[in-house]
Amino acid sequence: MKNRQMQGYVGAIISVVLLAVLPLKMGSHSVLSLMHLDVSILSEMLLFGIAAMSVNLLLGYTGLMSFGNAAYFGLGAYGAGLSIHYLNVNFIEGALIGTAIAFIGGLLVGPFLLRRRGIYFALLTLAFGQVFYFIAYRANEFTGGEDGMSFSRPYFGFPGWHTDLHETTFYYLMLLVFAAVLLGFWLIVRSPFGRTLQAIRQNELRVRYLGLDSNKFIFVALLVSAGMAGLAGALYGLLIMFAAPLMLDWQQSGDFVMIMILGGAGTIWGPIVGSLIYVIGKDIVSTLTQTWQIYIGALFVICVLAFPRGLLGTLLYAIARRDVGAPVSEEEVAHKTWEHGGSAGTPTGAAVAAAEQKES
Amino acid sequence: MLSNVVPSVFNGLVLGAFYAFVAIGLSLIMNLTGTINLAHGSFLTLAGYLAFTLVSKGTSFWFALLLAPLLTVVVGVVVERLLIVPLYKRDPIFSLLLTFGLSLIAEEVYRLIWGPNGVPFSAPGVLGGGISLGFMQFPTLRLFIAGVLAAAMVALALFLWRTRFGLRLRAAIQDTEMISAMGTNTQLLYMVNFALGMALAGLAGVLASGLLGLSPTMGNALLMPAFVVAIIGGMGSLFGSIVGGLLVGLAISVTTLFVPAANEIIMYILMAVVLLIRPRGLFGTEGLFG
């Protein structure tokens, strides 16, 4: 449907323009200052959005319950922090080294994760994520241990030109990175590779019958996801100029998964919508009360019970429902009703999956 | 040398018994309903705090040891019926996230009620001191804990393999739809199964608080090793969880003795090795949850 596609492009352009004008001042106030928000909150929102997108690639598109992406996020932050602290690298090098470290982390852990699917995969990601947590925690003469490590933010630039990043320019740089990642993500998801990942979510066995080695596809998806989370982590480290073991913790992983679900799993824009709700909600609630963790927890519970498709997912689903009668491709329906892909959660589904496993 | 190693092996086995206990509770719930209960640790902590409150109100330790797990079961079943039941038919990620949210709430609530730091909670005098075995002293408390945990595991095994209800539970784990078609009330099975998991968590919570120190994060500290134990032992195997738990406990205590820096990593290394050699876990069944 060309019409729908046009709406998508217009929506994307409007969102980016909105994000770009948010920090601008109108008179002496910007929209942000009226909401008592800092520009760095917006940067945080974009970076958490990228991290949630990395979960989305695995969970929303490939159907793999990843509960350990904070490990890559934290590796990115430590990669940037350690290289800046010990090797005196510049901004771009720090960000790239952080991403590379996270990528290597994925390369190390991936072969183990590939051995299992379903909730077992979730347990493995949880457990392997903790390995990096304990390494950061234990290597305290190198990483600062439990207290974490702070480092300074180097100049941003290339040989011959550089500039000092303050909060607003940092935000615009993040917006640029975010737009690039979003575009990349969109291209990946629409590529034959991305289609195969979605096919794996719907029925991995059939994909194998078609002669495709699903393990290879999943491994690449894991690596892409680790790289994305690592990039987000490295930039987040550069934003707050700090890296701590808690960034690698499974509770942080849970936050990323939740951000993705809040917005809508298996949708391109879902993670950033979720990140908007989560980061700004957390910022507002944590200034009002000490016990913000209760409210975040309650948000999770309510979202899971009442809006399992997430905000954007619910909206898209409603649109798809309204369009019934109009020609909707199979693919679009599958895309918009994310949960249909994974019936392994139901007792019957699990039994069928087990039976199919035996046959293979 | 021996006087160093023997107590450390013994302590490791007691610690491992805790891990096994928590892992069995997790596995029970996971096998039947596909729910990864991230709030398991929170229920464990709840039992500890309930026992602490009961004892400080003048109840005897023994009564608290009985009552606190029972209260935890009641709270757990209410939570299961109200919040988790609607998710059984949905993708497992949702129950995982729900229990994750619950654990966030619980941790903060415990902090509000009982304070952010640990509270002193010790077993009665009878359990203090040690029992001499000639060449070394065994602390009575740890022996007592080991005894209670072993007895509870035997009781659970008898329930699962020697009662009609246990038979139905095991059948439901294999094929819920079939057992439902044959006229068994599966909702009752789900509830009792969850209650069993809670009872195990509750008992472990009360006993652990005397040993590990009662604080809002006590349960969550036991949760991750329990997951690792379930992976090593093999999901769905009671025996596997016990062996896995003892193995992990032993590995941790021995590593603490010789390479203290690696004592938290060792169980993950163990897990990685098991995954390479036998992905289903030591005693796991092929095909269960992929």
Side-chain angles (χ1 to χ4, degrees), chain A residues 116 138 304 308 346 348, chain B residues 89-90 108 177 264 280 290:
Chain A
R116 284 300 189 155
R138 276 289 165 162
V304 164
T346 62
T348 352
Chain B
K89 288 208 171 92
R90 300 234 307 263
E108 198 68 51
E177 200 171 24
E264 273 138 346
R280 70 183 87 157

Side-chain angles (χ1 to χ4, degrees), chain A residues 25-287:
Chain A
K25 288 196 164 38
M26 298 179 294
S28 59
H29 295 289
S30 69
V31 184
L32 279 179
S33 63
L34 287 176
M35 286 170 74
H36 302 284
L37 291 174
D38 203 49
V39 188
S40 60
I41 287 294
L42 283 185
S43 303
E44 186 180 331
M45 179 194 83
L46 293 175
L47 294 174
F48 276 35
I50 296 176
M53 274 162 70
S54 77
V55 182
N56 197 13
L57 183 68
L58 294 180
L59 209 162
Y61 287 90
T62 322
L64 295 165
M65 285 202 283
S66 175
F67 222 75
N69 271 39
Y72 312 123
F73 185 80
L75 280 178
Y78 271 106
L82 291 170
S83 60
I84 287 164
H85 191 262
Y86 290 101
L87 304 172
N88 258 326
V89 299
N90 68 31
F91 188 99
I92 296 175
E93 286 165 349
L96 288 179
I97 289 174
T99 311
I101 298 276
F103 189 82
I104 292 168
L107 216 53
L108 288 176
V109 173
F112 294 99
L113 299 183
L114 279 180
R115 301 203 143 227
R116 284 300 189 155
R117 298 288 187 276
I119 56 175
Y120 229 135
F121 181 90
L123 281 184
L124 289 185
T125 55
L126 251 170
F128 277 108
Q130 288 304 99
V131 174
F132 297 109
Y133 171 83
F134 282 118
I135 290 174
Y137 187 85
R138 276 289 165 162
N140 45 355
E141 64 277 8
F142 193 52
T143 61
E146 193 182 1
D147 298 331
M149 58 177 299
S150 46
F151 48 90
S152 56
R153 188 190 299 160
Y155 289 111
F156 175 80
F158 316 93
W161 173 86
H162 60 77
T163 175
D164 202 2
L165 285 175
H166 56 88
E167 297 311 321
T168 310
T169 42
F170 194 97
Y171 168 69
Y172 282 112
L173 180 67
M174 290 309 103
L175 193 60
L176 207 67
V177 171
F178 177 77
V181 170
L182 194 72
L183 183 68
F185 189 84
W186 186 77
L187 289 173
I188 288 176
V189 167
R190 303 204 141 219
S191 68
F193 169 74
R195 297 294 193 211
T196 312
L197 292 185
Q198 292 166 56
I200 289 173
R201 185 195 71 210
Q202 291 182 8
N203 195 331
E204 186 178 346
L205 197 66
R206 282 191 197 168
V207 172
R208 294 173 86 105
Y209 280 164
L210 288 171
L212 297 170
D213 186 354
S214 57
N215 267 344
K216 269 186 198 156
F217 284 88
I218 292 175
F219 191 45
V220 175
L222 275 171
L223 292 180
V224 173
S225 176
M228 281 169 72
L231 175 69
L235 293 171
Y236 186 65
L238 285 161
L239 173 71
I240 62 173
M241 295 176 269
F242 186 64
L246 278 179
M247 288 180 189
L248 304 141
D249 195 36
W250 62 276
Q251 299 211 331
Q252 182 69 64
S253 295
D255 285 354
F256 291 148
V257 178
M258 201 59 230
I259 287 172
M260 185 212 62
I261 296 279
L262 268 178
T267 62
I268 304 246
W269 287 87
I272 189 66
V273 174
S275 180
L276 182 88
I277 306 171
Y278 175 84
V279 172
I280 293 183
K282 188 170 170 176
D283 189 68
I284 292 172
V285 174
S286 62
T287 54

